């Protein structure tokens, strides 16, 4: 490029970095050479030198999940608004892969590493991620836990959560207020933070309404459609009595709905159905799904905003935020049918 412009390599560097005065004519020659050669700066090298565009690394299980995609959209919106780039890394639920990615992003000098979604905190995972959090902090970066609980109270990390347990409490209380007393909960995953919070909310609502928790009404399952289909089929086959289903996610609710229809049961005339997440599909089902709304895009925007405020020295930057959830009542819930 220097040869094309007829100037020294040092002059080209000064023009591109815009950190040293050069004449208008010299600048014009260099920029003309840039256009002619279609030159693209080495962003990696610039980042290592501390002069490139800052990157926010978003680490999640699967970008195709609606909730995660909405969080990613929120992070991207805030990053773009403030002139940063967003890099998305997926792990497919592999926690070792997550640890590897966090370490890689630390080495790449990412401005922040945003971890999304529920997690099972083992002792080993906690220790290694805590070490990464301190390491990121020591170089001016930040670990952000988005939609998952904190690792430890004294850790240099930003935590952005939503009222997971409260949303489940509200969904269960809605069913109880309609008169349901046998509510099938589908989505138990012992030790997984999101699933545990939703199960706790379900149980707390039952206790407040003085309804005993029944082990047979608590069914295991991943947050997937097949899990809802399988769990409800099994409960029906075992002749477990229930008048409502609380599915731990809207995707689980979709599977539950299929199983109920297979059995000739109508929703909500025979069995009421509640989901969780309020993904776009929830309002398109027949009947439209009663569910818990989680502000996923706002969750992502808040995570990016907090970490960028901190980097820019904005006063009063918070380290922990809890966003609210609420029940959206639609057509899939009604009072239980009268006894025959």
């Amino acid at each position: 490029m220097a040869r094309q412009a007829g100037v020294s390599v040092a002059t080209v560097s000064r023009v591109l970095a815009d950190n040293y005065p050069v004449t208008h004519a010299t600048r014009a020659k260099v920029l003309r050479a840039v256009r002619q050669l279609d030159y693209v700066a080495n962003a990696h090298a610039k980042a290592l030198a501390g002069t490139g565009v800052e990157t926010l690394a978003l680490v999640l299980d699967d970008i195709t999940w609606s909730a995660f995609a909405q969080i990613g959209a929120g992070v991207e919106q805030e990053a773009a608004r403030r002139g940063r780039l967003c890099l998305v890394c997926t792990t497919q639920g592999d926690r070792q892969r997550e640890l590897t990615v966090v370490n890689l992003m630390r080495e790449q000098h990412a401005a922040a590493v945003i971890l999304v979604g529920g997690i099972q905190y083992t002792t080993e995972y906690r220790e290694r991620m805590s070490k990464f959090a301190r390491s990121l902090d020591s170089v001016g970066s930040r670990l952000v836990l988005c939609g998952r609980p904190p690792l430890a109270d004294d850790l240099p990390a930003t935590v952005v959560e939503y009222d997971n347990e409260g949303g489940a409490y509200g969904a269960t209380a809605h069913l109880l207020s309609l008169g349901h007393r046998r509510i099938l909960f589908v989505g138990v995953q012992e030790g997984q933070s999101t699933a545990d919070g939703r199960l706790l909310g379900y149980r707390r609502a039952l206790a407040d309404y003085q309804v005993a928790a029944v082990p047979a009404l608590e069914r295991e399952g991943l947050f997937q459609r097949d899990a809802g289909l399988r769990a409800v089929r099994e409960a029906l086959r075992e002749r477990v009595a229930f008048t409502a289903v609380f599915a731990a996610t809207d995707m689980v609710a979709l599977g539950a709905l299929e199983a109920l229809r297979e059995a000739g049961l109508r929703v909500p005339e025979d069995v009421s159905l509640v989901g969780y997440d309020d993904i776009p599909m929830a309002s398109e089902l027949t009947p439209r799904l009663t569910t818990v709304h989680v502000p996923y895009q706002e969750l992502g925007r808040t995570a990016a905003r907090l970490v960028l405020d901190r980097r820019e020295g904005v006063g009063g930057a918070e380290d922990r935020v809890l966003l609210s959830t609420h029940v959206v009542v639609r057509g899939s819930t009604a009072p239980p049918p009268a006894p025959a």
Side-chain angles (χ1 to χ4, degrees):
M1 185 185 298
R3 186 181 300 111
Q4 180 87 0
V7 298
S8 68
V9 172
T11 298
V12 171
S13 297
R14 290 167 182 166
V15 172
L16 295 179
D18 197 22
N19 61 1
Y20 195 86
V22 297
T23 66
H24 177 76
T26 298
R27 180 181 299 278
K29 288 193 293 184
V30 172
L31 295 180
R32 183 166 57 252
V34 167
R35 291 192 297 272
Q36 290 171 346
L37 296 174
D38 196 22
Y39 171 78
V40 177
N42 187 327
H44 177 67
K46 292 181 71 177
L48 291 177
T51 60
V53 176
E54 288 187 333
T55 299
L56 302 183
L58 182 67
V59 184
L60 40 78
D61 285 353
D62 187 345
I63 192 63
T64 64
W65 289 10
S66 178
F68 288 170
Q70 290 179 63
I71 291 174
V75 172
E76 170 62 25
Q77 289 165 10
E78 185 66 14
R81 187 179 73 84
R82 296 171 71 157
R84 269 68 165 201
L85 293 177
C86 181
L87 175 65
V88 177
C89 308
T90 61
T91 66
Q92 302 306 315
D94 184 342
R95 295 311 164 204
Q96 183 56 50
R97 164 72 176 161
E98 183 179 89
L99 290 165
T100 300
V101 168
V102 173
N103 187 46
L104 179 62
M105 291 300 100
R106 179 178 65 88
E107 293 173 351
Q108 296 296 315
H109 299 270
V113 179
I114 304 172
L115 303 182
V116 175
I119 185 68
Q120 187 170 23
Y121 281 150
T122 64
T123 300
E124 179 186 4
Y125 180 91
R126 218 180 261 277
E127 290 175 351
R128 291 189 62 185
M129 195 58 75
S130 296
K131 181 179 179 181
F132 284 142
R134 295 187 181 95
S135 179
L136 287 165
D137 184 67
S138 70
V139 295
S141 186
R142 193 74 172 174
L143 181 69
V144 183
L145 306 177
C146 184
R148 65 174 60 175
L151 288 159
D153 291 338
D154 60 344
L155 202 67
T158 297
V159 180
V160 183
E161 296 180 276
Y162 58 91
D163 191 2
N164 185 38
E165 182 180 337
Y169 180 97
T172 309
H174 168 65
L175 292 170
L176 290 164
S177 69
L178 290 172
H180 295 278
R181 292 299 180 266
R182 302 276 299 185
I183 302 170
L184 186 72
F185 180 92
V186 181
V188 176
Q189 298 175 56
E190 187 175 354
Q192 205 271 3
S193 59
T194 303
D196 283 353
R198 294 179 187 183
L199 181 60
L200 284 172
Y202 163 82
R203 288 176 174 172
R204 185 161 60 87
L206 292 178
D208 284 354
Y209 277 76
Q210 299 182 334
V211 176
V214 178
L217 290 174
E218 296 178 1
R219 298 282 164 154
E220 293 184 357
L222 300 177
F223 289 172
Q224 298 170 357
R225 174 176 177 162
D226 286 350
L229 178 63
R230 184 169 53 253
V232 174
R233 277 176 175 171
E234 290 175 353
L236 291 170
R237 186 169 59 249
E238 295 167 11
R239 298 186 180 279
V240 175
F242 60 90
T243 61
V245 177
F246 177 15
T249 70
D250 292 344
M251 290 305 296
V252 174
L254 187 60
L257 180 62
E258 183 178 351
L260 292 169
R261 284 177 171 166
E262 282 180 355
L265 296 169
R266 300 165 301 164
V267 175
E269 292 84 356
D270 299 317
V271 179
S272 285
L273 178 63
V274 170
Y276 201 118
D277 287 336
D278 196 19
I279 64 176
M281 178 191 66
S283 61
E284 298 171 2
L285 294 175
T286 303
R288 299 170 70 231
L289 185 65
T290 295
T291 185
V292 178
H293 177 78
V294 182
Y296 283 120
Q297 283 202 27
E298 183 58 28
L299 203 69
R301 279 193 294 269
T302 300
R305 175 178 59 80
L306 293 182
V307 76
L308 292 176
D309 281 353
R310 172 177 287 275
R311 289 186 70 79
E312 294 171 5
V314 175
E318 300 170 272
D319 284 331
R320 188 167 183 180
V321 170
L322 179 69
L323 301 183
S324 63
T325 55
H326 64 270
V327 178
V328 180
V329 179
R330 298 192 178 108
S332 66
T333 52

